[in-house]
Amino acid sequence: MRLVLASDGIADLDAILRPGLVSLRTIRARGQDATAPALALWREFHALRTGLLSLAIETERETEAEAETANPQVAAWLLTAFAICSSLARC
């Protein structure tokens, strides 16, 4: 179940951030203030990131055998989330 939740969370993050970043770049290219939409996008990112981190923490609390199989997947999700965050910071 956690795998599905994390996968959905990453997909949601991607679905929100990709068009959001394009929109922010467009706004900036027009010379308009992008502060309010950037803040809204950041809040969405932060909420989804918090949820993904909670899943990772719960996974760490599982039994050692379960955690051994889940940790590589959680690490991959977190790397994806941080890569998206890095992209947002460059915007």
Side-chain angles (χ1 to χ4, degrees):
M1 183 64 177
R2 287 185 189 151
L3 297 175
V4 172
L5 290 174
S7 178
D8 289 349
I10 292 293
D12 290 348
L13 197 59
D14 184 55
I16 290 169
L17 289 181
R18 283 184 194 267
L21 292 172
V22 169
S23 296
L24 289 176
R25 288 185 186 114
T26 301
I27 291 168
R28 281 186 27 191
R30 292 180 182 164
Q32 297 172 318
D33 182 17
T35 304
L39 183 59
L41 187 61
W42 175 253
R43 287 179 178 155
E44 289 294 327
F45 165 78
H46 193 266
L48 285 167
R49 181 180 141 262
T50 300
L52 290 170
L53 289 172
S54 294
L55 283 173
I57 290 168
E58 288 175 23
T59 300
E60 287 292 319
R61 292 182 180 158
E62 292 176 346
T63 64
E64 186 172 329
E66 291 171 339
E68 283 178 7
T69 60
N71 280 342
Q73 294 162 339
V74 171
W77 299 325
L78 292 175
L79 285 174
T80 302
F82 291 127
I84 293 169
C85 176
S86 170
S87 175
L88 181 60
R90 285 191 304 262
C91 181

